[in-house]
Amino acid sequence: MVDLFKVVGERRILAVVEVPPDKLDQLSFDLPIMQEMGGTVDLEVSPLQPYAAFAADLRGLAGLGPLDPPSPAPTGKGNGGGELFWVDCELSQEGLSQAAFFELWAAQAEATLQSAADGWVEHVWKVAGQHRVVSVVRVRDAGDLDRRLFNLPAAKSSLGPNLNFTVKALRRYEAFAADVQERLEEEEA
């Protein structure tokens, strides 16, 4: 398991796992929640590719040279505090040639990898078979997230009108589970 999150305000858990499809089926059948509530639990599965691998492939598709590794974050620039968000970005090629689309996306891919190196993007993946990127980010607050998204190179380029962001506030699942356990203990007392 890579990470587990609770979507704030929704009855939804996001899990990112690295397992083959047949093992994912077996894992989902063995989950206690599936055994207890199987018919009322919906699973959505999206195949994900690590973004760095996709970015390298994209540079090749765009006819650009090899990907330069991002610069390490300056010391003391970590993001231990702040709020977590799931950012789902769908990109559209509308009005762009495939070559122009790939070139613009390749420039954004480098900025995305730099954001991960800087520490505010904790995880980032490309959804296989779709023009879609999903990430977990940690920022000061929703306003900080807006500023960062508006300042992305893609948002400032001709790709900007073709970006569609869906954002969800997250909590670490462990913190949510601790809150649920505390409530159960209070009811028993």
Side-chain angles (χ1 to χ4, degrees):
M1 174 122 10
V2 172
D3 233 329
L4 194 60
F5 303 95
K6 162 72 175 70
V7 178
V8 174
E10 297 182 22
R11 292 183 176 187
R12 179 174 225 162
I13 305 296
L14 291 173
V16 179
V17 296
E18 293 182 49
V19 295
D22 59 328
K23 296 292 183 201
L24 183 60
D25 269 345
Q26 181 181 356
L27 176 67
S28 66
F29 293 134
D30 292 342
L31 288 171
I33 194 167
M34 292 299 283
Q35 292 174 1
E36 288 287 323
M37 306 172 64
T40 61
V41 176
D42 291 323
L43 294 177
E44 293 178 28
V45 178
S46 296
L48 303 176
Q49 175 183 17
Y51 200 71
F54 166 73
D57 291 345
L58 184 61
R59 287 191 58 85
L61 291 170
L64 304 171
L67 184 65
D68 290 328
S71 305
T75 305
K77 290 279 186 178
N79 256 344
E83 298 178 22
L84 285 172
F85 293 92
W86 177 263
V87 178
D88 185 333
C89 179
E90 191 163 353
L91 297 90
S92 168
Q93 186 181 330
E94 187 176 335
L96 297 168
S97 69
Q98 188 177 53
F101 180 64
F102 285 162
E103 189 174 319
L104 289 166
W105 197 349
Q108 177 55 50
E110 289 184 42
T112 299
L113 293 173
Q114 184 61 56
S115 297
D118 291 345
W120 71 275
V121 174
E122 291 193 1
H123 301 289
V124 61
W125 305 274
K126 160 72 173 62
V127 179
Q130 299 178 29
H131 292 161
R132 200 167 136 219
V133 177
V134 294
S135 57
V136 175
V137 302
R138 182 179 297 277
V139 293
R140 190 172 44 257
D141 55 33
D144 186 28
L145 178 61
D146 262 350
R147 285 185 290 281
R148 289 173 187 263
L149 293 178
F150 293 149
N151 282 314
L152 292 173
K156 294 179 177 182
S157 75
S158 57
L159 190 57
N162 298 6
L163 301 176
N164 182 30
F165 292 100
T166 302
V167 176
K168 302 277 185 176
L170 299 177
R171 299 178 66 191
R172 295 255 175 230
Y173 185 79
E174 297 81 5
F176 168 73
D179 285 350
V180 169
Q181 184 63 39
E182 185 178 314
R183 287 175 186 254
L184 288 173
E185 289 170 1
E186 287 173 3
E187 286 180 13
E188 291 174 358

